[in-house]
Amino acid sequence: MKKPEPSLPSVEDLTPEAARAEHVRLAAEIAGHDIAYHQQDAPVISDAEYDALRRRFEAIEGAFPELAGTLETSKRIGAAPSEKFAKVQHVVPMLSLGNIFDIGEVEEFVARVRRFLGLGPDAPLAFTAEPKIDGLSCALRYVKGEFVQAATRGDGFEGEDVTINVRTIKEIPHRLKGAVPVVLEVRGEIYMKRDEFAALNERQAAEGEKVFANPRNAAAGSLRQLDSTITAKRPLHFFAYTWGEVSALPADTQKGMIEAFAEYGLPTNPLTVLCRNAEELAAHFRKIGESRASLPYDIDGVVYKVNDLALQGRLGFVSRSPRWATAHKFPAEQAMTVLRDIEIQVGRTGALTPVAKLEPVNVGGVVVSNATLHNEDEIIRKDIRIGDTVIVQRAGDVIPQVVSVVEGKRPEGSKKYEFPRVCPACGSAAVREIDEKGDADAVRRCTGGLICPAQAVERLKHFASRNAMDIEGLGDKQIEFFYEKGLVRTPADIFTLQARDEEPGNLQRLRNYEGYGETSVRNLFASIQSRREMALNRFIFALGIRRIGETNARRLARHFGSFEALRYTARAASQGSEEARAEIDNIDGVGDIVAQSVIEFFGEAHNESVLDELLKYVTPQAMEAVKQDSPVAGKTVVFTGALERMTRDEAKAMAERLGAKVSGSVSKKTDLVVAGPGAGSKLANAEKFGVEVISEDEWFVRVGG
Ligand code: IVH
């Protein structure tokens, strides 16, 4: 387990003044982390580090009782709800759980409960043990079986209203089955599965959007969206495990409640078991620990709860957590090793990323020899030096990271790490761009552009990758190999590879290289051939233009309809045509900075020749361009209620094709609302603002479908 900081004196050794000062400092630090974690979904430290801060804080309060409870943080759970959402008061507060970390503490927990209840040694006492899901808690309110409201935990007393977002989660029923209490507030965890998280991050990265640190942040970020259509596209799941206000409890045990939830049609976790004593709890903890890596979602421990609800009632709460439950946390998977070197990797757009080359070490069953160091500032902040002994951490599927330096083990004479100012691949200057606000970008970038071989290789990898040209058999390793051999240096080279390979007299046939045989070479050539016709949006995306992810590529494709049109306009803009610049700027969703990237790309002479070459072999398929003259062109349209002739996605795509802008909410600026049955507040708003409302059928008449 990670100690707060190796250099901190033990709590018992603190003078009252030092304790008071540290108490205040820790409270402020914890409060800051609470905001980063709960409101911004962007923690800056790991859970283990956060827990260590809290434990130190609590230890100080334990040793210096006069400080206990004097600062707000000691009672707070999470952070106050964000201003972005409407507030929901929790009728029953949403509290947190106490933690235990050692297997020995299980016995203590059971003994504490028995003592509190005055149970004799032979009196039976059952507990449930269930995985602690690493997501975010959410309260779902059902009235007469109908879903009416969802709220996040917020600070435990007041949460955020996320009803419309939760409605988009398929797994959460809008109507419960069977005989359900009139008022039932089910609570549980909203989470994202690991593979879905990875896929989402891949999409986000490709589109130049924010990538999430872990599935928990991805789930939180996805749920706390102001535009519920974004939430709808995110793969969110739910497990029900507790409750708030309930008009009549359907069972008198924890297990019975969970079973009742399952009967109502709510998802519940299948790994919940009933245990009779500390040994059985500990055994289940080990069992879940062993299956942890193979579960499709992240868990960070096991929760033990007294099964009998009457006993739960007697046990009650102590400050911020129930006496009848505790969370047995898995130790963070950390290990100590030596940092041999810091390698700087150069990405497709020139970003320099520091990677720790480590003395291989086993971290929770996986041998780790590389770990991320994030960026230049992170290295400075943690003062990480080559030769240092460092703590590495592996959490779930996330890339291993260097958490901290063990300063006591620093070799003598070590020097502060100097982040390179030039690109290690091409020697060009590497700079941190300054944004409009005057802030330096966290990322240092190589300015070598087209002359940088590292960028060239990464661009080729991107070009051939799955969401781009999708050339099977041409993965990262193969690209590196072909590049190194001088066989592929530009995208066009991929398409001439076969002809060059089959040229009479070629003594270096591909099939003679190690790792290649007749069949694999044939398959590779076939998959290259099959990509000579390519959807326009994918082709644009494949070019690897900075800031042009899949979404922007689609926007450009839809707007211009053909590659020639895009190229012509962007080139004109780069030569100073204001009209051309305005056309790109005005594409819905394409901002100034994105437009600039496009214009720069097409204005670059070298790119021109690369494209000329490439277009000899690849034909981007023209798309139906956005109609400028449709009856809804330039209008802002909102779809609401149930649509019967098309899905929401279809409706959106159709409207966009017709030049309309689709919005998720109705305001004064809305031009048209298309309302299906069951439309609610949006319809009401339309009436309030005097916005024209038509039915789905009328929509088809209007657009001539
Ligand atoms: S029971 C009164 N059960 O852990 C507390 N919580 O540290 C009721 N969590 O806020 C919570 N899995 O977000 C409970 N099976 C589980 C859980 C679980 C995850 C989360 C939840 C809670 C936090 C407490």
Side-chain angles (χ1 to χ4, degrees):
M1 190 59 44
K2 187 181 175 301
K3 302 269 184 321
E5 267 174 46
S7 53
L8 286 179
S10 86
V11 168
E12 294 77 52
D13 296 340
L14 291 175
T15 63
E17 296 74 54
R20 188 180 301 279
E22 195 180 339
H23 188 238
V24 172
R25 181 178 68 75
L26 283 169
E29 205 173 331
I30 290 169
H33 291 310
D34 282 342
I35 289 175
Y37 185 92
H38 291 283
Q39 280 188 15
Q40 297 160 349
D41 303 320
V44 282
I45 57 172
S46 67
D47 286 359
E49 286 170 304
Y50 178 83
D51 285 343
L53 285 178
R54 256 211 188 275
R55 255 177 292 136
R56 174 104 180 152
F57 184 81
E58 279 158 18
I60 291 179
E61 293 205 334
F64 298 88
E66 67 276 16
L67 298 177
T70 56
L71 296 174
E72 225 203 317
T73 312
S74 54
K75 298 189 211 78
R76 270 253 294 267
I77 308 157
S82 153
E83 295 302 317
K84 294 192 297 190
F85 295 90
K87 310 277 181 299
V88 175
Q89 299 288 331
H90 296 303
V91 179
V92 178
M94 286 182 86
L95 298 178
S96 188
L97 291 170
N99 292 325
I100 61 175
F101 294 92
D102 288 341
I103 207 97
E105 289 177 88
V106 181
E107 189 117 29
E108 280 171 38
F109 166 68
V110 173
R112 209 160 47 234
V113 171
R114 283 188 162 276
R115 204 164 42 240
F116 188 92
L117 294 170
L119 294 180
D122 299 326
L125 177 66
F127 294 86
T128 56
E130 57 195 271
K132 185 167 189 297
I133 316 298
D134 206 1
L136 75 154
S137 48
C138 192
L140 314 177
R141 197 174 176 81
Y142 287 88
V143 175
K144 296 191 190 139
E146 291 291 338
F147 170 71
V148 295
Q149 188 174 59
T152 63
R153 184 167 67 175
D155 63 5
F157 301 97
E158 192 177 63
E160 297 153 343
D161 186 338
V162 286
T163 312
I164 50 169
N165 295 357
V166 167
R167 263 190 214 287
T168 69
I169 302 176
K170 292 184 200 65
E171 227 165 74
I172 295 182
H174 290 182
R175 193 179 164 77
L176 297 178
K177 292 188 288 196
V180 182
V182 179
V183 175
L184 172 64
E185 193 201 309
V186 179
R187 292 176 179 177
E189 204 81 351
I190 291 192
Y191 66 97
M192 195 177 281
K193 292 183 185 172
R194 280 201 286 258
D195 57 349
E196 294 171 337
F197 156 74
L200 170 65
N201 257 0
E202 228 172 83
R203 284 201 301 277
Q204 294 281 107
E207 288 170 20
E209 303 279 351
K210 166 179 171 175
V211 294
F212 298 99
N214 52 44
R216 196 215 82 88
N217 293 132
S222 299
L223 183 67
R224 300 169 72 246
Q225 285 286 340
L226 287 182
D227 177 356
S228 65
T229 61
I230 298 180
T231 312
K233 288 188 201 129
R234 304 279 173 84
L236 293 174
H237 303 271
F238 181 75
F239 279 130
Y241 53 64
T242 192
W243 56 94
E245 192 187 2
V246 183
S247 52
L249 289 176
D252 55 10
T253 60
Q254 180 73 33
K255 191 99 199 313
M257 287 296 288
I258 304 298
E259 281 158 7
F261 290 165
E263 274 165 31
Y264 299 156
L266 289 156
T268 57
N269 191 290
L271 301 172
T272 304
V273 298
L274 210 54
C275 296
R276 283 167 305 181
N277 51 44
E279 291 77 60
E280 289 185 10
L281 289 174
H284 195 61
F285 177 78
R286 287 200 191 89
K287 189 169 158 212
I288 290 192
E290 280 158 20
S291 63
R292 183 181 180 190
S294 55
L295 292 177
Y297 44 83
D298 276 355
I299 61 173
D300 57 349
V302 178
V303 182
Y304 308 140
K305 297 173 186 166
V306 168
N307 191 38
D308 184 323
L309 300 190
L311 296 182
Q312 281 192 6
R314 281 174 57 197
L315 283 153
F317 295 81
V318 51
S319 92
R320 57 191 208 115
S321 28
R323 262 194 212 89
W324 45 263
T326 196
H328 189 171
K329 293 271 208 92
F330 294 128
E333 293 176 315
Q334 292 189 338
M336 199 159 59
T337 188
V338 173
L339 175 68
R340 281 192 194 153
D341 199 5
I342 296 177
E343 187 181 283
I344 304 291
Q345 292 181 350
V346 185
R348 163 168 67 86
T349 57
L352 265 45
T353 309
V355 176
K357 306 307 270 184
L358 305 164
E359 199 66 55
V361 62
N362 188 318
V363 191
V366 174
V367 176
V368 172
S369 48
N370 293 320
T372 173
L373 289 164
H374 301 292
N375 56 42
E376 188 172 349
D377 290 342
E378 190 79 358
I379 300 180
I380 298 172
R381 196 170 68 79
K382 294 182 177 161
D383 187 13
I384 298 171
R385 306 179 184 193
I386 293 170
D388 269 348
T389 296
V390 292
I391 304 290
V392 251
Q393 177 168 303
R394 206 177 60 87
D397 265 0
V398 185
I399 309 167
Q401 46 178 324
V402 172
V403 186
S404 60
V405 170
V406 183
E407 276 176 39
K409 291 185 176 254
R410 172 162 285 165
E412 245 173 73
S414 79
K415 285 205 255 354
K416 272 200 194 300
Y417 178 72
E418 288 229 18
F419 203 90
R421 299 285 194 272
V422 295
C423 171
C426 71
S428 303
V431 300
R432 292 174 69 166
E433 287 171 12
I434 309 289
D435 68 13
E436 317 89 79
K437 287 196 227 116
D439 297 329
D441 194 346
V443 175
R444 190 174 284 278
R445 267 174 221 282
C446 159
T447 54
L450 299 161
I451 65 145
C452 178
Q455 290 188 44
V457 171
E458 295 306 313
R459 271 199 304 271
L460 284 167
K461 287 180 188 170
H462 172 78
F463 181 80
S465 68
R466 190 147 43 109
N467 294 349
M469 298 295 280
D470 191 20
I471 304 178
E472 226 173 292
L474 202 54
D476 291 0
K477 290 242 153 41
Q478 290 79 10
I479 296 271
E480 280 168 18
F481 172 78
F482 288 137
Y483 191 89
E484 196 208 319
K485 294 273 173 248
L487 290 169
V488 173
R489 288 283 160 99
T490 70
D493 293 345
I494 295 172
F495 295 93
T496 60
L497 192 61
Q498 181 171 9
R500 284 180 285 135
D501 193 64
E502 290 168 358
E503 216 164 76
N506 178 13
L507 300 177
Q508 279 289 8
R509 299 287 303 264
L510 211 48
R511 62 176 183 222
N512 299 327
Y513 280 109
E514 207 187 305
Y516 279 96
E518 292 269 356
T519 322
S520 60
V521 171
R522 202 174 333 114
N523 288 346
L524 173 63
F525 290 158
S527 71
I528 293 174
Q529 287 307 321
S530 72
R531 295 297 182 263
R532 294 185 55 157
E533 288 195 346
M534 183 47 65
L536 178 58
N537 54 319
R538 273 172 168 261
F539 182 76
I540 296 171
F541 173 62
L543 297 177
I545 306 169
R546 192 164 165 207
R547 304 195 175 90
I548 302 298
E550 286 175 272
T551 306
N552 280 334
R554 215 171 297 122
R555 286 179 178 134
L556 292 172
R558 207 176 276 140
H559 177 88
F560 288 104
S562 73
F563 192 70
E564 293 73 41
L566 162 65
R567 196 177 177 192
Y568 177 82
T569 309
R571 205 190 299 155
S574 78
Q575 289 159 356
S577 158
E578 286 189 13
E579 204 184 327
R581 163 107 214 179
E583 177 169 359
I584 303 174
D585 268 349
N586 289 337
I587 301 172
D588 196 28
V590 174
D592 211 27
I593 300 174
V594 172
Q596 189 57 35
S597 293
V598 174
I599 294 166
E600 276 170 18
F601 179 88
F602 286 97
E604 172 70 53
H606 179 94
N607 286 341
E608 286 281 88
S609 54
V610 165
L611 281 175
D612 283 338
E613 220 19 59
L614 180 60
L615 290 167
K616 288 185 191 160
Y617 308 102
V618 181
T619 316
Q621 300 299 292
M623 278 177 71
E624 197 186 341
V626 168
K627 294 206 173 68
Q628 305 293 337
D629 55 354
S630 90
V632 292
K635 299 237 155 75
T636 300
V637 181
V638 173
F639 291 93
T640 181
L643 300 179
E644 278 146 11
R645 294 173 59 181
M646 53 188 169
T647 65
R648 255 319 144 79
D649 283 342
E650 256 177 277
K652 186 162 186 282
M654 179 176 182
E656 283 174 353
R657 217 167 40 234
L658 294 163
K661 179 172 187 284
V662 178
S663 167
S665 59
V666 177
S667 72
K668 280 190 293 239
K669 294 202 189 111
T670 311
D671 296 301
L672 185 63
V673 170
V674 182
S681 61
K682 287 183 196 166
L683 188 56
N685 276 342
E687 275 153 21
K688 189 166 93 196
F689 295 126
V691 176
E692 186 187 4
V693 179
I694 60 173
S695 70
E696 190 182 4
D697 285 341
E698 284 165 331
W699 162 262
F700 278 100
V701 172
R702 177 156 318 185
V703 300

